[in-house]
Amino acid sequence: MKQVTIKEIAEKTGFSVNTVSRALSNRGEIKKETADLIRQKAKEMGYLPNLLARGLSGKRTNTIGLIMGETQNPYHWPVVGVIQKELTRRGQNLILANSEETAEGLYNAVSIMLSSRVDGLLMFYPDKGEESLHLLQKHNVPTVLLATHSNVPISYIEVDEEKEGYLATSYLLDRGCKKIAYISRDEDTLPSKARQKGWAKALKERGLDCSAVFTADSSLQGGNRISASTDFVSLGFDGIVAYNDLIAIGIMHNISERGYAIPEQISVIGFDNISYGEYSYPPLTTIDVQKEEIGRRAVEMLMGHIGYKTEYNKVPFEKVILESKLIVRKSTR
Amino acid sequence: MKQVTIKEIAEKTGFSVNTVSRALSNRGEIKKETADLIRQKAKEMGYLPNLLARGLSGKRTNTIGLIMGETQNPYHWPVVGVIQKELTRRGQNLILANSEETAEGLYNAVSIMLSSRVDGLLMFYPDKGEESLHLLQKHNVPTVLLATHSNVPISYIEVDEEKEGYLATSYLLDRGCKKIAYISRDEDTLPSKARQKGWAKALKERGLDCSAVFTADSSLQGGNRISASTDFVSLGFDGIVAYNDLIAIGIMHNISERGYAIPEQISVIGFDNISYGEYSYPPLTTIDVQKEEIGRRAVEMLMGHIGYKTEYNKVPFEKVILESKLIVRKSTR
DNA sequence: TTGAAAGCGGTACCAC
DNA sequence: GTGGTACCGCTTTCAA
């Protein structure tokens, strides 16, 4: 079907395109009856605004870009879910792209967003590809980083991962663990390093050795694999701090398969509090990151920045650090 | 930063906007040196095409819409993942919207897609809101439904859920189960009904009663809850066919907590083969739906339809039914 | 092979 | 309050 345009509505109603335009975007001075009549007619004709045209001529596109990385990590979805909801609620549309977790992929994704003339951008930043961030800055696009920060002054909502690592490790220590390994993620990312740092700090405080660092893919399989190739229990470990829940659950699976008892012989703790953790075997003790809150705050902050930008033509720098808390379940003694 | 336009490039290079346009979208006749020179200059100036303008004047937007429902169901993630990858590979952009799983939400989502002038649409159809589908038809937008079908002639990729239900139930029966319950999802959706039908068919074939239908939310919690309020084992059930893996895992969790042994006292089987299933306790026997394949085929089909439409100005109707297969793990005897 | 000019569907500014 | 009109940035005839 040929799309109905405001011009056609103008012809049918006898008003000018200008008047029709204002009636349909309820803006500017216009008599109420005129507006009602036009809207009525528009509805009848099945009019749907052309967002491309609107975005091209207007100052804003009412479109926000979201760049994801690991689509398969359950951690991200609750964040994406609230972002979607919050944006819809505010009448903003959403364009999605993926960084493929490479610098090049990120650059492409950012370029697409820029080309799409998004009003603002939300991204899970894979802490590589600073040039992408510079590009963003150059184009002056309001951006909020989700659950990370960068060296470039771009706003972000994040969590204090080092503190999380410290919190988790201290808990294991308090419960009597003596030899605790840290499982980092494959590509050493900022959050993984930060949690490791917190882990090391807690161990050092008690005069313990902090060299037992292993590496796994950020996935259930990754956890399973590292445990399959490394028999933590027989190596004398009685505690494992895994970079995230996915890895932790993978490890637990393998440890149980080997016939060891969790938490009696070894405690396992993860991070993120993904929904599945409550249903793993045993239910996973973890550090809860306020995922929904990250999404909500990020959208709020972004909208604020967009407003600020349209007013003063510069985008502010702002940051928020959210508190995480321990969720004790059954994988730790 | 002010965006660079082709007009500016035209001024700098001394060519006309037309020539620049063709050089940048490598289209039409143009001397190679001219093109190279223009592209070079464009790069230098940091030119990024304005997709809004391009979409407005051209025939296509190179943008595909994706409408999701349950963002939180892991079942969807791999599908979305490949869709994203496949679209990126083909230079297509992605707009995301959510139906909130209501007819109204779906209608809004579809409207946004139409307003965004997407070339094509992919959707997880929550089998309600036929009017949304009619709207789509009216606007002649190529659409492929993911993992469902509808009464409206719109193309789809789906699985034969009834057959799946039959397959799962028959397996339990073959392994000696005598009394098998079906857990449907809260809102009786098409796939849930279809699997139930298959379950009933298998039972009837053996002259068994098929009235034991319970209902749960499509979530881990939902499964846990129904099992918490209904002690299946003490009611004499020795088998459970759950609408999906999420519910199945939730139920297993609760059954284990009650102190019953799976599969010795009761077998549990799910559908979808989500990644958690391999790591649940016990590892879940399930029916594998080819999730990546659904995404891949859907994109392929959609692109085909878009091409067809630009040529003949009508969108074809096509359907694909994918085979599912049993994955035996440890939750069934 | 290249250029001029007319849209694409809206918005916004300036008259009336 | 309403209408005329010049754009927004790009593609697409049609000429040259």
Side-chain angles (χ1 to χ4, degrees):
Chain A
M1 194 185 82
K2 171 77 180 52
Q3 304 286 353
V4 178
T5 68
I6 56 171
K7 192 173 162 201
E8 285 163 27
I9 300 178
E11 281 160 9
K12 294 283 182 212
T13 57
F15 288 98
S16 70
V17 284
N18 187 345
T19 306
V20 173
S21 169
R22 302 151 77 173
L24 295 177
S25 42
N26 32 253
R27 166 181 37 93
E29 333 286 80
I30 191 171
K31 211 201 303 178
K32 183 151 187 327
E33 293 97 74
T34 311
D36 286 346
L37 189 138
I38 291 175
R39 290 202 197 105
Q40 166 60 24
K41 195 72 189 169
K43 192 167 190 179
E44 257 173 44
M45 299 173 68
Y47 171 77
L48 284 174
N50 184 325
L51 262 29
L52 299 171
R54 202 174 255 182
L56 184 58
S57 68
K59 278 295 119 201
R60 289 178 52 170
T61 55
N62 292 311
T63 298
I64 300 300
L66 171 61
I67 300 182
M68 294 186 74
E70 308 173 72
T71 358
Q72 301 315 310
N73 189 335
Y75 168 68
H76 296 304
W77 288 96
V79 183
V80 174
V82 301
I83 287 175
Q84 236 189 203
K85 202 157 291 177
E86 288 292 312
L87 288 179
T88 302
R89 203 166 63 72
R90 297 167 200 247
Q92 302 299 111
N93 302 326
L94 182 58
I95 292 188
L96 191 67
N98 196 294
S99 67
E100 316 271 354
E101 296 196 85
T102 65
E104 198 197 340
L106 182 62
Y107 197 87
N108 289 337
V110 168
S111 300
I112 287 171
M113 295 306 177
L114 258 16
S115 281
S116 300
R117 301 298 190 260
V118 294
D119 291 335
L121 193 52
L122 257 16
M123 57 193 280
F124 292 96
Y125 175 54
D127 58 46
K128 45 191 152 204
E130 278 208 2
E131 57 174 333
S132 302
L133 300 186
H134 289 308
L135 182 61
L136 276 175
Q137 283 211 295
K138 204 171 90 187
H139 286 261
N140 205 27
V141 178
T143 303
V144 175
L145 264 26
L146 301 164
T148 22
H149 67 271
S150 76
N151 300 319
V152 185
I154 287 188
S155 299
Y156 59 84
I157 312 269
E158 72 161 358
V159 294
D160 186 342
E161 276 120 354
E162 183 177 336
K163 200 161 155 195
E164 290 182 329
Y166 180 80
L167 184 62
T169 311
S170 300
Y171 179 73
L172 290 194
L173 256 12
D174 289 345
R175 306 294 297 169
C177 291
K178 303 288 182 213
K179 191 175 175 193
I180 304 176
Y182 177 74
I183 319 296
S184 83
R185 59 170 292 189
D186 212 359
E187 312 163 49
D188 246 334
T189 53
L190 241 53
S192 181
K193 277 190 202 133
R195 283 173 184 161
Q196 179 177 338
K197 212 163 150 192
W199 161 83
K201 186 178 162 211
L203 291 181
K204 270 186 214 138
E205 269 186 11
R206 321 233 178 172
L208 294 171
D209 167 68
C210 58
S211 61
V213 176
F214 299 80
T215 291
D217 250 22
S218 170
S219 66
L220 294 166
Q221 289 71 23
N224 185 60
R225 233 174 282 134
I226 184 64
S227 176
S229 63
T230 313
D231 186 341
F232 294 107
V233 176
S234 77
L235 285 174
F237 289 101
D238 58 3
I240 289 182
V241 175
Y243 163 63
N244 66 15
D245 287 352
L246 241 26
I247 295 177
I249 293 170
I251 290 178
M252 293 202 300
H253 178 78
N254 180 270
I255 290 180
S256 298
E257 235 175 21
R258 283 173 181 274
Y260 297 122
I262 303 173
E264 291 75 8
Q265 292 177 271
I266 188 166
S267 290
V268 178
I269 192 167
F271 299 85
D272 293 349
N273 190 24
I274 63 175
S275 68
Y276 183 59
E278 203 177 337
Y279 291 82
S280 65
Y281 180 74
L284 182 66
T285 294
T286 186
I287 304 292
D288 179 57
V289 176
Q290 303 179 55
K291 296 177 286 294
E292 277 88 358
E293 189 66 11
I294 290 179
R296 200 163 9 248
R297 296 284 285 272
V299 170
E300 196 182 338
M301 188 186 279
L302 185 61
M303 297 315 290
H305 290 193
I306 292 172
Y308 187 90
K309 183 194 162 186
T310 57
E311 197 155 351
Y312 306 103
N313 198 35
K314 58 193 279 271
V315 347
F317 172 66
E318 196 179 349
K319 61 183 181 176
V320 165
I321 298 187
L322 259 26
E323 280 297 316
S324 301
K325 67 173 194 294
L326 181 70
I327 306 280
V328 176
R329 288 200 278 254
K330 310 234 165 97
S331 67
T332 49
R333 54 179 169 200
Chain B
M1 193 185 83
K2 170 78 179 54
Q3 305 285 354
V4 178
T5 68
I6 55 171
K7 192 173 162 199
E8 286 164 28
I9 300 178
E11 281 160 10
K12 295 281 182 210
T13 57
F15 288 97
S16 71
V17 284
N18 186 350
T19 307
V20 174
S21 169
R22 302 152 75 175
L24 295 177
S25 41
N26 33 251
R27 167 181 35 92
E29 333 287 80
I30 191 169
K31 212 200 302 177
K32 183 153 186 329
E33 293 98 72
T34 312
D36 286 345
L37 189 139
I38 291 175
R39 291 205 196 103
Q40 166 60 24
K41 195 73 190 172
K43 192 167 189 178
E44 256 172 45
M45 298 172 70
Y47 171 76
L48 284 174
N50 184 325
L51 262 29
L52 299 172
R54 203 173 255 183
L56 184 59
S57 67
K59 279 292 119 204
R60 289 178 52 169
T61 55
N62 291 312
T63 299
I64 301 300
L66 171 61
I67 300 182
M68 295 185 73
E70 309 173 71
T71 353
Q72 303 314 313
N73 188 337
Y75 169 67
H76 297 303
W77 306 339
V79 183
V80 175
V82 301
I83 287 175
Q84 238 189 202
K85 201 156 291 176
E86 288 293 313
L87 289 179
T88 303
R89 202 166 64 71
R90 298 167 199 246
Q92 301 299 112
N93 301 326
L94 182 59
I95 293 188
L96 190 67
N98 196 295
S99 67
E100 318 272 352
E101 295 195 84
T102 65
E104 198 197 339
L106 181 63
Y107 197 87
N108 289 336
V110 168
S111 300
I112 287 172
M113 295 306 176
L114 258 16
S115 281
S116 300
R117 300 298 189 261
V118 293
D119 291 335
L121 194 51
L122 256 18
M123 57 193 280
F124 291 97
Y125 175 54
D127 58 46
K128 45 190 150 203
E130 279 208 359
E131 57 174 333
S132 302
L133 301 186
H134 289 307
L135 183 60
L136 276 175
Q137 284 211 296
K138 205 171 91 186
H139 286 261
N140 206 26
V141 178
T143 303
V144 175
L145 264 26
L146 301 163
T148 23
H149 68 271
S150 76
N151 301 319
V152 185
I154 287 189
S155 299
Y156 58 85
I157 312 270
E158 73 162 357
V159 293
D160 187 341
E161 275 120 357
E162 183 176 337
K163 199 162 155 194
E164 289 182 330
Y166 180 79
L167 183 63
T169 311
S170 299
Y171 179 72
L172 291 194
L173 257 10
D174 289 344
R175 306 294 296 170
C177 290
K178 303 289 183 213
K179 192 175 174 192
I180 304 177
Y182 177 74
I183 319 296
S184 83
R185 61 171 291 190
D186 211 0
E187 311 162 51
D188 247 331
T189 55
L190 242 51
S192 181
K193 275 188 204 135
R195 283 171 183 161
Q196 179 177 338
K197 213 163 150 192
W199 161 83
K201 185 177 163 212
L203 291 182
K204 269 186 215 140
E205 270 186 12
R206 320 233 178 172
L208 295 170
D209 167 71
C210 58
S211 61
V213 177
F214 299 81
T215 290
D217 249 23
S218 170
S219 67
L220 294 165
Q221 290 70 23
N224 185 60
R225 232 174 283 135
I226 184 64
S227 175
S229 63
T230 312
D231 185 342
F232 294 107
V233 175
S234 77
L235 284 175
F237 290 101
D238 57 3
I240 289 183
V241 175
Y243 163 64
N244 65 17
D245 287 352
L246 241 27
I247 295 177
I249 293 171
I251 290 178
M252 292 202 302
H253 179 79
N254 181 269
I255 289 180
S256 297
E257 233 173 22
R258 283 173 181 274
Y260 297 122
I262 303 172
E264 291 75 8
Q265 292 177 272
I266 188 166
S267 290
V268 178
I269 192 167
F271 298 86
D272 293 349
N273 190 23
I274 63 175
S275 65
Y276 296 153
E278 202 177 338
Y279 292 83
S280 64
Y281 180 75
L284 182 66
T285 294
T286 187
I287 304 292
D288 179 56
V289 175
Q290 304 180 55
K291 297 177 285 295
E292 278 88 356
E293 190 65 11
I294 290 178
R296 202 167 4 250
R297 296 285 284 273
V299 170
E300 195 182 337
M301 188 186 278
L302 185 61
M303 298 314 290
H305 289 193
I306 292 172
Y308 187 91
K309 183 194 161 186
T310 58
E311 198 155 349
Y312 306 104
N313 198 35
K314 58 194 282 273
V315 346
F317 172 65
E318 196 179 350
K319 61 183 181 175
V320 165
I321 299 188
L322 260 26
E323 279 299 313
S324 302
K325 67 173 193 295
L326 180 70
I327 306 279
V328 176
R329 289 200 278 252
K330 309 231 164 103
S331 67
T332 48
R333 53 180 166 188

